[in-house]
Amino acid sequence: MSVTYKAPLRDMEFVYYELLGGQDINQLPGYEDAEPDTIKAILEEAAKFAETVFLPLNQSGDEQACQLNDCVVTVPDGFKDAYDQFCEGGWTALTEDPIYGGMGLPYSVSVMMSEMLSATNQSLAMYAGLTHGAAKAIHACGSDEQRKTYLPKFADGSWSGTMCLTEAQCGTDLGLIQTKAIPNEKGSHNLTGTKIFISAGEHELTDNIIHLVLARLPDAPPGIKGISLFLVPKYLFDADCNIGDRNPVTCGAIEHKMGIKGSATCVINMDDAEGYMIGTEHKGMQAMFVMMNSARLGTGIQGLAAGEQAYQGAVEYARDRVQMRSLTGVKYPDKKADPIIVHPDVRRMLLTIRAYTEGCRAMTYWIAQELDQFAKNPDADRREEADDFASLLTPVIKAFCSDTGFDSTNLGVQVYGGHGYISEHGMEQFVRDARIAQLYEGTNGIQALDLVGRKMAMHNGRLVKRFFTKIGEFIAQENQNESLAEFIKPLVNSFSHLQQATGWIAKHAAKNPDHAGGASVDFLRIFGLVTVGYMWVRMVKIAQENQQGSDAHFYKAKIKTGRFYMQKLLPQTSSLLASIEAGSDSLMEFDEAYF
Amino acid sequence: MSVTYKAPLRDMEFVYYELLGGQDINQLPGYEDAEPDTIKAILEEAAKFAETVFLPLNQSGDEQACQLNDCVVTVPDGFKDAYDQFCEGGWTALTEDPIYGGMGLPYSVSVMMSEMLSATNQSLAMYAGLTHGAAKAIHACGSDEQRKTYLPKFADGSWSGTMCLTEAQCGTDLGLIQTKAIPNEKGSHNLTGTKIFISAGEHELTDNIIHLVLARLPDAPPGIKGISLFLVPKYLFDADCNIGDRNPVTCGAIEHKMGIKGSATCVINMDDAEGYMIGTEHKGMQAMFVMMNSARLGTGIQGLAAGEQAYQGAVEYARDRVQMRSLTGVKYPDKKADPIIVHPDVRRMLLTIRAYTEGCRAMTYWIAQELDQFAKNPDADRREEADDFASLLTPVIKAFCSDTGFDSTNLGVQVYGGHGYISEHGMEQFVRDARIAQLYEGTNGIQALDLVGRKMAMHNGRLVKRFFTKIGEFIAQENQNESLAEFIKPLVNSFSHLQQATGWIAKHAAKNPDHAGGASVDFLRIFGLVTVGYMWVRMVKIAQENQQGSDAHFYKAKIKTGRFYMQKLLPQTSSLLASIEAGSDSLMEFDEAYF
């Protein structure tokens, strides 16, 4: 028995429309085509595609893994055909700019597609996923000619993109980059150096691969202020994009890793490889951040998708597997034992996965829609607000969703008992695949530092003030709503923990920044718990208003899952606050030699 | 770079002697040989053996995994030679009864050896580890003849033992066992059926494998009360134990699994295989519980060992890897960046692993010494006390140590960042190997049910009362100790959470047992946190008294690790209590159809 998957379209639509008002997104200039019926049709097609094309290759892709022979990477069987179908279906063009061959649909629509693709085949989804970020970076920071050259190729999927940041001596600390870019006679640059951990760095799925490479010019100042960004194609090409000579940018090795084995993680060697600068000299990090923010949200989506996979796999097993009788008496007398779904602790595990997953979906889709507002809303104030929310919550989404996603895959295994450890059932693969999301695109510890160190301080705390005001207004508005009281009360409680934690950090970090560093991971977790709690109360409110209708089932489940979240998961904030308020002396006073 | 390991002998000795008074264990009749010098020499030898023989085969064992061809299991290269050295060194005889060729040393000594073996090669350690449980079961429940036949073979390691409980339709619910045992003309039984998940079920390391098999006699009552236990040898043998015909008990398949790939997890088919009953008809579960309790403690030790592995790997990397500068200014101006051990969040991860590992070591060794008291103390009251503590804490050790061990391996990976995900560094293997300990020998959810459902109620609550009294007395005794006040205060606080949780469950479970089931996992976690907290305060007290001596370094680190535990980890109890007191209605009122 291996795991199946049905795209959670009902819940996606609930969040996208009923919670977030996505039916109005087509009123934004440029998104006129994003009508509810169109989006609905797209989602249904994406669901079918994910379920029938991506899912069947997930387990076999893990077993076969990628292979490297003579600098050529062979992807698992079926991946090439699936990728071709992905391009033919127009999926690579979904959100790209219509000027360059894209469909120009909102980013938030692609997020739902990404969730389905990642849930059904995380490795395969990554080949397409990074190209979008490369396109965004070129769109934002490239020259007009660069846009015209590359973006149509990305939109039709015939070329793909990579992000080449990491080197052996630096991941987090990109100021240590050593790859060199020397101006040449042609007006371009010759790049030499070695990059590691390059996802989709080499493969034969596309006609060309465009590496976005961080490197140093000869006169570059040291550190992070001396980094420039270059486009380094696998194959050189002429003015009409006809493929020419191989550029000396080659795959020296692929990594053997815990999971996402169908995704090629490459060592990329450049030996005087020709490259073309994007944007301004020494300002490469700006363009890279465009790409990185997109990748960070994408990583959060992987966590969310992992939770959904794990939930569906675990529920199926919990209904099917019979073992022991219910503590309150036999529930299925015709069976030799009761299905394990009757046992309270199995329900605890299932509801934990579900409450995190649905809550993370709401949080992630909200920020996706905010990014669409930021992109297209004519009102500058609204754009600023949207940008503030997105900037503040990007590290939270990346870290919180990947943490809860990983925990969810482990709960999924736990529901299976010993069978969860056996590869054929598919559950342990989810654990191995999900683990990467806590590590790449900036470890979750780095996300926490981004939150406490950069985002909290940005514009004199405007981002966080705006966010707290939003939650505070919602609480004030619903405080007299009796039917919501049991949900509002724990939100108020945990929101006060978040505010106290914020105050503690503000007060102590000024004196000693290690207090912020020591508190950062606990703080990000409180932030995620409260944000998801806020989304849950909003969802419950809508569900309460609809529970008499034809879809009562769905809304009642929503209310009950929300109740579980508020009662059983949200209380974590009190312990996290206690840990933060204990300070970081116990961390920093531990002599280095004692470790 | 791959992970190294140095056995933590200093900490082991601190716990064994200074904390627990193990220098007096040789005063117990039968343990006269267990003099401190003897134990010290054994530990040093065991450390050398683990570091030089087991450790070098850990990564290669994972890569090669076990192979099955024509019912023959091939273990990874080097395992046979290492196992032979293990036997030649007399390690298999360590705790076995001298009457049957054993050395008769206390169980608590073997626990320290097991920790080192499991830390260096969990898969390889399992081949020897289960034999000890089989020996215990035969010793406790077998006939004199059975003891004389099998125990010398187990003591010299030439034969090994297995536990054959699980079948495809039952793991937790052994009442569903279908394997049949039919009396034959020879006075023995013919067994037919299929067992799954049999660790070390087939291999060529030993001359014979003795399967301890649960099966039903033809007249057996249904359910758990109709299970008998049989010895089913791989090879039949004559009165002098000369190997004869192959018994039809064969390996039909080995599982492909997440980790412990060097350990053969077998499907065992019996087709009229000859077997010999141990103990009384239909009372097989009693003998099996002797084996299972031993295996459960062994599983807790695996969790503890995983934490130690992860800690050592992570510290080494954190000292070596330079990335970014300290938030409070450059610490290593001669390097391009500071070693990541200067960063507060890296320290948080390292200290979390360390505080759990050292705390779990103290808890586990304590119970191991209690089992030695139970085995040999002439005073019946002391034996009862020891048995009470061991019975109460066995599920806690199994679940809490395997949970924190798994979390520790993940923190170890997180310290490495993306490099942690790459197989060659060895950190991700620890995660995959450690994951099994939460699943086998009764999932951790089953341990929690054992704690709340059986152990709390046993002898009218005597076990838990005795344990709470012990902690209460310690607190009363140290309450005026000013230098200990900062440690006692959080212990008092969390101990009150444990007592409140106990009261809540006692009150509500009587009305509805689902309240106990729904609270069980949270409750076991509080129980583990408080027990480990209690051990920490006792350790700190000893360390405070010794911090002026020649080994000041060690004791100061102990105090600081204890402070970290009390300030940063123990506060989890407040949230867990809140979750318990929220009750289980949110779990049970969720309609089955809604999942």
Side-chain angles (χ1 to χ4, degrees):
Chain A
M1 176 176 135
S2 94
V3 174
T4 57
Y5 172 87
K6 286 295 286 180
L9 292 176
R10 180 66 187 90
D11 198 55
M12 288 176 160
E13 287 170 1
F14 170 78
V15 172
Y16 198 82
Y17 297 115
E18 298 173 65
L19 176 67
L20 301 171
Q23 54 276 24
D24 299 330
I25 210 153
N26 62 350
Q27 288 167 24
L28 291 173
Y31 289 156
E32 292 81 359
D33 291 347
E35 288 173 21
D37 284 353
T38 308
I39 297 177
K40 192 179 173 63
I42 288 171
L43 290 185
E44 282 169 2
E45 275 305 304
K48 202 163 75 182
F49 185 78
E51 291 163 12
T52 60
V53 180
F54 268 44
L55 183 66
L57 302 173
N58 194 36
Q59 237 174 324
S60 57
D62 180 61
E63 283 158 19
Q64 287 182 21
C66 291
Q67 308 295 335
L68 177 72
N69 290 300
D70 280 339
C71 299
V72 175
V73 168
T74 309
V75 297
D77 292 347
F79 274 33
K80 169 75 176 144
D81 182 52
Y83 182 80
D84 288 346
Q85 288 186 55
F86 186 72
C87 299
E88 282 155 23
W91 297 108
T92 48
L94 203 66
T95 61
E96 305 303 334
D97 190 334
I99 299 173
Y100 306 108
M103 292 168 63
L105 283 165
Y107 168 70
S108 56
V109 174
S110 76
V111 162
M112 295 187 277
M113 174 191 74
S114 295
E115 184 195 321
M116 296 186 252
L117 297 178
S118 187
T120 46
N121 198 323
Q122 187 177 338
S123 290
L124 180 48
M126 285 174 66
Y127 289 98
L130 287 164
T131 301
H132 174 70
K136 270 193 91 164
I138 294 172
H139 202 283
C141 306
S143 68
D144 215 42
E145 198 197 325
Q146 285 170 335
R147 287 195 202 101
K148 278 184 200 152
T149 305
Y150 295 97
L151 297 183
K153 294 293 187 185
F154 288 163
D156 69 15
S158 57
W159 294 8
S160 57
T162 75
M163 278 171 77
C164 295
L165 289 72
T166 306
E167 300 180 5
Q169 77 288 355
C170 61
T172 299
D173 194 353
L174 294 173
L176 300 177
I177 278 176
Q178 291 173 354
T179 296
K180 286 193 166 53
I182 316 281
N184 61 27
E185 303 155 344
K186 295 188 258 178
S188 59
H189 289 78
N190 285 1
L191 279 86
T192 300
T194 298
K195 296 286 179 178
I196 65 168
F197 296 170
I198 309 309
S199 296
E202 178 58 49
H203 55 76
E204 314 253 285
L205 296 177
T206 54
D207 299 337
N208 206 353
I209 299 173
I210 310 302
H211 301 284
L212 274 76
V213 181
L214 291 182
R216 291 186 179 284
L217 293 167
D219 61 343
I224 201 77
K225 290 177 178 163
I227 310 279
S228 306
L229 182 63
F230 299 86
L231 295 164
V232 182
K234 174 179 173 182
Y235 293 103
L236 301 174
F237 49 87
D238 66 17
D240 297 325
C241 291
N242 295 308
I243 295 296
D245 290 343
R246 189 71 159 80
N247 204 8
V249 47
T250 54
C251 178
I254 57 174
E255 306 288 353
H256 299 277
K257 42 194 201 304
M258 185 180 190
I260 53 165
K261 296 191 182 208
S263 167
T265 306
C266 302
V267 174
I268 295 291
N269 297 316
M270 288 163 289
D271 185 12
D272 272 335
E274 191 168 344
Y276 318 104
M277 208 192 311
I278 315 182
T280 324
E281 286 183 0
H282 314 319
K283 303 279 185 200
M285 289 304 293
Q286 285 173 7
M288 195 46 90
F289 261 111
V290 173
M291 199 164 176
M292 207 134 68
N293 279 329
S294 159
R296 286 180 173 178
L297 286 170
T299 307
I301 295 163
Q302 290 179 329
L304 158 62
E308 182 66 36
Q309 289 175 318
Y311 181 75
Q312 294 196 24
V315 167
E316 192 181 352
Y317 189 77
R319 287 192 202 287
D320 190 56
R321 174 76 169 175
V322 304
Q323 206 77 173
M324 309 299 284
R325 291 297 184 182
S326 162
L327 295 171
T328 55
V330 175
K331 295 288 179 292
Y332 289 78
D334 52 322
K335 298 190 177 188
K336 290 200 169 177
D338 287 332
I340 61 172
I341 203 165
V342 307
H343 301 312
D345 189 57
V346 171
R347 291 169 157 255
R348 178 190 64 81
M349 294 192 277
L350 295 176
L351 285 168
T352 301
I353 308 177
R354 181 172 178 146
Y356 279 134
T357 303
E358 291 183 10
C360 284
R361 181 174 291 128
M363 174 169 69
T364 306
Y365 289 12
W366 171 41
I367 292 305
Q369 287 199 7
E370 289 299 295
L371 284 167
D372 290 332
Q373 294 292 334
F374 175 59
K376 302 290 184 187
N377 199 303
D379 177 355
D381 289 344
R382 181 69 185 90
R383 282 205 307 280
E384 183 189 273
E385 179 189 54
D387 190 32
D388 282 359
F389 288 146
S391 298
L392 183 66
L393 285 170
T394 293
V396 177
I397 288 171
K398 193 281 183 183
F400 187 80
C401 297
S402 63
D403 282 346
T404 57
F406 179 68
D407 291 346
S408 293
T409 60
N410 275 298
L411 287 168
V413 164
Q414 202 68 23
V415 168
Y416 274 64
H419 295 271
Y421 201 68
I422 306 302
S423 303
E424 88 181 275
H425 297 296
M427 297 299 286
E428 62 89 27
Q429 183 190 344
F430 296 161
V431 176
R432 290 184 291 103
D433 287 355
R435 186 67 183 86
I436 189 60
Q438 299 171 295
L439 297 165
Y440 62 13
E441 310 307 345
T443 64
N444 286 0
I446 294 298
Q447 304 303 318
L449 285 179
D450 181 47
L451 178 65
V452 298
R454 285 185 66 236
K455 302 298 170 61
M456 301 293 286
M458 220 176 238
H459 302 297
N460 287 317
R462 187 183 76 204
L463 282 56
V464 71
K465 274 180 218 145
R466 203 192 282 267
F467 180 65
F468 285 2
T469 302
K470 191 174 177 75
I471 296 184
E473 284 172 358
F474 175 74
I475 289 171
Q477 173 197 313
E478 301 298 338
N479 231 345
Q480 305 304 317
N481 182 342
E482 271 180 40
S483 63
L484 218 51
E486 59 164 313
F487 300 91
I488 288 286
K489 196 172 155 235
L491 179 63
V492 168
N493 194 37
S494 289
F495 182 42
S496 85
H497 295 159
L498 174 59
Q499 290 170 302
Q500 287 173 65
T502 307
W504 189 93
I505 292 174
K507 183 174 160 196
H508 292 83
K511 279 176 275 177
N512 181 348
D514 280 336
H515 282 307
S520 58
V521 164
D522 286 338
F523 182 74
L524 185 143
R525 181 133 189 121
I526 297 189
F527 212 106
L529 284 163
V530 171
T531 307
V532 165
Y534 161 66
M535 300 312 288
W536 263 117
V537 184
R538 285 180 53 191
M539 291 195 282
V540 165
K541 179 175 150 70
I542 295 164
Q544 283 181 340
E545 290 158 3
N546 287 280
Q547 58 181 315
Q548 307 307 331
S550 59
D551 212 3
H553 225 238
F554 175 82
Y555 294 108
K556 285 184 176 164
K558 190 58 86 179
I559 295 166
K560 290 181 177 191
T561 309
R563 184 174 292 133
F564 172 84
Y565 182 84
M566 304 312 279
Q567 290 186 1
K568 296 293 230 184
L569 301 179
L570 190 57
Q572 288 169 66
T573 56
S574 66
S575 294
L576 293 162
L577 176 63
S579 169
I580 289 173
E581 290 185 338
S584 63
D585 290 345
S586 65
L587 303 171
M588 303 318 294
E589 288 175 1
F590 202 91
D591 307 51
E592 208 171 298
Y594 289 6
F595 277 101
Chain B
M1 177 177 132
S2 93
V3 175
T4 57
Y5 173 86
K6 286 295 284 178
L9 292 177
R10 180 67 188 88
D11 198 53
M12 288 176 162
E13 288 170 1
F14 169 78
V15 172
Y16 198 81
Y17 298 114
E18 299 173 62
L19 176 67
L20 302 171
Q23 55 274 25
D24 299 331
I25 210 153
N26 63 350
Q27 289 167 24
L28 290 173
Y31 288 155
E32 290 83 0
D33 292 345
E35 288 172 23
D37 284 353
T38 308
I39 297 177
K40 192 178 172 64
I42 288 172
L43 291 185
E44 283 170 3
E45 275 306 303
K48 202 164 74 182
F49 185 79
E51 291 164 12
T52 59
V53 179
F54 268 44
L55 182 66
L57 302 173
N58 193 36
Q59 236 173 325
S60 56
D62 181 61
E63 282 158 18
Q64 287 182 21
C66 291
Q67 309 295 333
L68 178 72
N69 290 299
D70 279 339
C71 299
V72 175
V73 169
T74 308
V75 297
D77 292 348
F79 274 34
K80 169 74 175 145
D81 182 50
Y83 183 80
D84 288 345
Q85 289 185 54
F86 186 72
C87 299
E88 284 156 22
W91 298 108
T92 48
L94 203 65
T95 60
E96 305 304 332
D97 191 334
I99 299 175
Y100 306 109
M103 293 168 64
L105 283 165
Y107 168 70
S108 56
V109 174
S110 77
V111 162
M112 295 188 276
M113 174 191 73
S114 295
E115 185 196 319
M116 295 186 252
L117 296 178
S118 188
T120 46
N121 198 323
Q122 187 177 339
S123 290
L124 179 49
M126 286 175 66
Y127 288 98
L130 287 165
T131 301
H132 174 70
K136 270 193 91 164
I138 293 173
H139 201 284
C141 307
S143 67
D144 214 43
E145 197 197 326
Q146 285 171 336
R147 287 195 202 103
K148 279 183 201 155
T149 305
Y150 295 97
L151 297 184
K153 294 293 186 184
F154 288 162
D156 70 15
S158 58
W159 293 9
S160 58
T162 76
M163 280 172 76
C164 295
L165 289 72
T166 306
E167 299 180 6
Q169 78 287 353
C170 61
T172 300
D173 194 351
L174 294 174
L176 300 177
I177 279 177
Q178 291 173 355
T179 296
K180 285 192 168 54
I182 316 280
N184 61 27
E185 303 155 345
K186 295 188 258 179
S188 59
H189 289 79
N190 286 0
L191 279 86
T192 299
T194 297
K195 295 287 178 176
I196 67 168
F197 295 169
I198 308 309
S199 296
E202 178 57 49
H203 55 77
E204 314 254 287
L205 296 178
T206 53
D207 299 337
N208 206 356
I209 299 173
I210 310 302
H211 301 284
L212 273 76
V213 181
L214 292 181
R216 289 185 181 286
L217 293 168
D219 61 343
I224 201 77
K225 290 177 179 161
I227 309 281
S228 307
L229 183 63
F230 298 85
L231 294 165
V232 182
K234 175 178 171 183
Y235 293 104
L236 301 174
F237 51 87
D238 66 17
D240 297 324
C241 291
N242 296 308
I243 295 297
D245 288 344
R246 189 72 158 82
N247 204 8
V249 46
T250 53
C251 177
I254 56 174
E255 306 289 352
H256 297 278
K257 44 196 198 304
M258 186 180 190
I260 52 165
K261 296 191 182 206
S263 167
T265 307
C266 303
V267 175
I268 295 291
N269 297 316
M270 288 162 288
D271 187 12
D272 270 336
E274 192 169 343
Y276 318 103
M277 207 191 312
I278 315 183
T280 324
E281 286 186 0
H282 314 320
K283 302 282 186 197
M285 289 304 292
Q286 284 172 7
M288 194 45 92
F289 261 112
V290 173
M291 199 163 175
M292 206 134 67
N293 279 328
S294 160
R296 285 178 176 179
L297 286 170
T299 307
I301 295 164
Q302 290 179 331
L304 158 61
E308 182 65 38
Q309 287 176 319
Y311 181 74
Q312 294 197 24
V315 167
E316 192 181 353
Y317 189 77
R319 287 192 201 286
D320 189 58
R321 174 77 170 174
V322 303
Q323 207 77 176
M324 309 299 285
R325 291 298 184 183
S326 162
L327 296 170
T328 54
V330 174
K331 294 289 178 291
Y332 288 78
D334 53 322
K335 298 190 177 189
K336 291 202 168 173
D338 287 331
I340 61 172
I341 204 166
V342 307
H343 301 312
D345 189 57
V346 171
R347 292 170 156 255
R348 178 190 64 81
M349 295 192 277
L350 295 176
L351 285 168
T352 300
I353 307 176
R354 180 172 179 146
Y356 279 135
T357 302
E358 292 183 8
C360 285
R361 180 173 294 128
M363 174 169 69
T364 306
Y365 289 11
W366 171 42
I367 292 306
Q369 289 198 6
E370 290 299 296
L371 285 167
D372 290 331
Q373 295 292 335
F374 175 60
K376 302 289 183 188
N377 199 304
D379 176 355
D381 288 346
R382 181 68 186 92
R383 283 205 307 280
E384 184 190 272
E385 180 190 53
D387 190 34
D388 281 0
F389 289 146
S391 298
L392 183 67
L393 285 171
T394 293
V396 177
I397 288 171
K398 194 280 183 183
F400 188 80
C401 297
S402 64
D403 282 347
T404 56
F406 179 68
D407 291 346
S408 293
T409 60
N410 274 299
L411 287 169
V413 164
Q414 201 69 23
V415 169
Y416 275 64
H419 296 271
Y421 201 68
I422 306 302
S423 303
E424 90 183 274
H425 297 296
M427 297 301 285
E428 63 88 27
Q429 182 190 344
F430 297 162
V431 175
R432 291 185 289 102
D433 288 353
R435 185 67 182 85
I436 189 61
Q438 300 170 295
L439 297 164
Y440 61 12
E441 310 306 346
T443 64
N444 286 359
I446 294 299
Q447 304 303 319
L449 285 179
D450 181 46
L451 178 65
V452 299
R454 284 184 66 236
K455 302 299 170 62
M456 301 293 285
M458 222 177 238
H459 302 297
N460 286 316
R462 187 183 75 203
L463 282 56
V464 71
K465 272 179 221 146
R466 203 191 282 267
F467 180 66
F468 285 3
T469 302
K470 191 175 177 71
I471 297 183
E473 283 172 359
F474 175 74
I475 290 171
Q477 173 198 315
E478 301 298 337
N479 231 346
Q480 305 305 318
N481 182 341
E482 272 181 38
S483 63
L484 219 51
E486 60 165 313
F487 300 91
I488 288 285
K489 196 171 158 235
L491 179 63
V492 167
N493 193 36
S494 289
F495 182 43
S496 86
H497 296 157
L498 174 59
Q499 290 170 303
Q500 287 173 65
T502 307
W504 190 93
I505 292 174
K507 184 175 162 194
H508 291 84
K511 281 177 274 180
N512 181 349
D514 279 338
H515 282 306
S520 58
V521 164
D522 286 338
F523 181 73
L524 185 145
R525 181 135 189 119
I526 297 188
F527 212 107
L529 285 162
V530 170
T531 307
V532 165
Y534 161 66
M535 301 312 288
W536 263 117
V537 184
R538 284 179 53 190
M539 291 194 283
V540 166
K541 179 176 149 68
I542 295 164
Q544 284 181 340
E545 291 158 3
N546 288 280
Q547 59 180 317
Q548 307 307 331
S550 60
D551 212 4
H553 224 237
F554 175 82
Y555 294 108
K556 285 185 175 161
K558 189 59 85 178
I559 295 167
K560 290 182 178 191
T561 309
R563 184 175 290 132
F564 173 84
Y565 182 84
M566 304 313 279
Q567 291 187 1
K568 295 294 231 185
L569 301 178
L570 190 57
Q572 287 168 68
T573 55
S574 66
S575 294
L576 292 163
L577 176 63
S579 170
I580 289 173
E581 291 185 338
S584 62
D585 290 346
S586 65
L587 304 171
M588 303 317 295
E589 287 175 1
F590 203 91
D591 308 49
E592 207 170 299
Y594 288 6
F595 277 101

